[in-house]
Amino acid sequence: MYVGRSYKLIDFALWSRRSVIYMVVVSGLAVAAYRLPGIAGFSVPWSVVLVLGTTVSLVAGFKNSQVFTRSSDALQAFTQITASSRLWSNFCRDFLDAPTARQLIYRHIAWMTALRFSLRRPMPWESMARAANIEYRRRYRIHEDASSVGDELRPLLAEQAEDVLKSPQPAIALLELQSVQVNALFKDTKLPPQIYGELTKLIRDFHDQQARCDRIKNNPYPRQYAIVSSMFVMIFCTLLPFGVVPVFADMGKLGGALGSIAIWLTIPFSTLLGWAYMSLDQVGESSANPFEGNANDVPISQICRDIEIELRSGLGETDLPKPLLPVNDIAT
């Protein structure tokens, strides 16, 4: 997630420069087609381009609105995980002996670790493999790229780590272990009924939030809408210079300072308009999967690290992991 005041124009321009190059080439072809003997005057009626542009605006706006909803849902899920984690820690520390509280809290940290590694795994429809995103990712780092779920779970779970890692879904296995231990503590009368009920509700909430995150991770933004939107944007941007070129050609016929060079203004103005549309689609596509690790995704690594520091500090520990600070104003 970008946490600076604003993206620099040069950074955004470099990220989206491929659309600029495409528009310059297509605009040059439009000018050439308009002036070549045999097909001189070739253009697309401006009314056609205008109607298509209106349609593209509606489709692109719908897509970006839905993408924003997905990102908001993802952030809300981790906001709820943060709040529930604090309650879990408080109940464990206040009503259980220190070793048991530590075990339950450490297992909860392990659950968050397994969850974030699961959410970082690549999916076929995600956009991190695109050249623009690969280049931009060099500006920051993803914590999960430099570690593995096994290396991080073993210090937290001790002898239980290997059994958990054998599970196809370690995060679910950890929640099941939490439930088993809480039930055992209640049967042994080591937990008051009211606290048992609260801990059970928190485990259910962790299940709910994980299911919410899994739904976003495992189900892409409907590809029919995503593909149609991208196709319409590309078609519009390709036809745009062919609709604009006669406007500037007629301007050149008026004479004056512009004269014969007026038609060449098709290239910068078409490029500017096309870049706006293509960049809007590129931003939407790159934000559709809020856990993959793009610069605008939910910073799940930082959130989980902050929760871990807070929970371990509550146990009285002083040897705490370092916070994950933003790199180049990007929190991950």
Side-chain angles (χ1 to χ4, degrees):
M1 175 180 288
Y2 188 80
V3 294
R5 182 177 179 84
S6 174
Y7 276 111
K8 296 178 181 178
L9 179 60
I10 184 63
D11 291 340
F12 189 82
L14 288 173
W15 180 66
S16 59
R17 70 182 184 277
R18 288 168 178 82
S19 61
V20 174
I21 295 172
Y22 178 82
M23 289 306 304
V24 169
V25 172
V26 173
S27 299
L29 291 175
V31 173
Y34 194 83
R35 303 186 69 175
L36 281 176
I39 59 171
F42 174 80
S43 64
V44 176
W46 177 247
S47 58
V48 173
V49 177
L50 182 64
V51 171
L52 182 58
T54 303
T55 304
V56 170
S57 298
L58 294 173
V59 173
F62 173 78
K63 175 182 177 180
N64 281 16
S65 175
Q66 297 302 306
V67 165
F68 178 76
T69 299
R70 283 171 61 88
S71 296
S72 297
D73 286 346
L75 184 57
Q76 288 173 9
F78 269 83
T79 300
Q80 183 61 42
I81 288 173
T82 300
S84 298
S85 298
R86 289 167 177 161
L87 289 173
W88 178 267
S89 176
N90 290 341
F91 283 129
C92 290
R93 287 187 286 108
D94 292 344
F95 294 95
L96 293 169
D97 59 85
T100 304
R102 184 180 185 278
Q103 185 179 25
L104 287 171
I105 291 173
Y106 263 56
R107 192 182 291 130
H108 177 71
I109 296 172
W111 169 73
M112 292 191 298
T113 300
L115 177 61
R116 62 181 169 84
F117 270 95
S118 174
L119 296 177
R120 290 295 195 201
R121 71 189 190 280
M123 304 298 280
W125 55 81
E126 293 180 341
S127 62
M128 280 307 301
R130 294 190 175 188
N133 292 334
I134 291 175
E135 289 179 1
Y136 201 84
R137 194 164 177 172
R138 296 169 186 164
R139 298 170 178 266
Y140 60 97
R141 57 179 178 270
I142 301 296
H143 180 69
E144 288 74 22
D145 289 347
S147 183
S148 69
V149 64
D151 291 340
E152 297 204 18
L153 287 185
R154 289 185 182 94
L156 297 169
L157 298 175
E159 68 278 358
Q160 291 182 328
E162 298 306 323
D163 291 335
V164 170
L165 290 172
K166 291 177 183 177
S167 172
Q169 293 184 303
I172 295 293
L174 287 164
L175 288 178
E176 291 174 352
L177 288 175
Q178 295 284 64
S179 182
V180 168
Q181 186 168 2
V182 168
N183 288 334
L185 289 170
F186 177 66
K187 291 176 182 178
D188 293 340
T189 67
K190 294 181 180 179
L191 267 179
Q194 297 89 340
I195 303 306
Y196 169 74
E198 293 295 332
L199 292 177
T200 302
K201 289 179 182 178
L202 288 172
I203 292 175
R204 182 177 62 186
D205 183 63
F206 294 141
H207 274 290
D208 289 343
Q209 300 310 322
Q210 177 169 344
R212 192 177 179 185
C213 293
D214 287 341
R215 173 181 59 82
I216 297 172
K217 178 67 179 182
N218 298 328
N219 297 278
Y221 175 75
R223 305 318 296 162
Q224 65 272 28
Y225 292 115
I227 293 171
V228 165
S229 176
S230 297
M231 288 175 57
F232 282 3
V233 168
M234 185 60 67
I235 292 171
F236 168 73
C237 291
T238 302
L239 295 180
L240 176 64
F242 293 92
V244 170
V245 65
V247 176
F248 287 102
D250 291 341
M251 186 184 300
K253 295 176 182 178
L254 299 177
L258 293 178
S260 61
I261 68 169
I263 192 173
W264 294 102
L265 294 177
T266 300
I267 295 178
F269 280 95
S270 295
T271 299
L272 179 62
L273 290 173
W275 174 69
Y277 274 86
M278 295 178 75
S279 295
L280 184 65
D281 182 72
Q282 186 177 353
V283 167
E285 191 66 23
S286 298
S287 304
N289 305 292
F291 296 128
E292 63 178 319
N294 270 318
N296 294 305
D297 289 350
V298 178
I300 59 176
S301 301
Q302 184 188 68
I303 292 173
C304 290
R305 175 60 63 84
D306 290 344
I307 298 173
E308 179 181 357
I309 293 172
E310 185 175 339
L311 299 191
R312 291 176 63 176
S313 178
L315 292 172
E317 297 184 13
T318 56
D319 186 15
L320 303 173
K322 296 181 180 179
L324 297 178
L325 300 176
V327 177
N328 290 325
D329 291 329
I330 298 175
T332 59

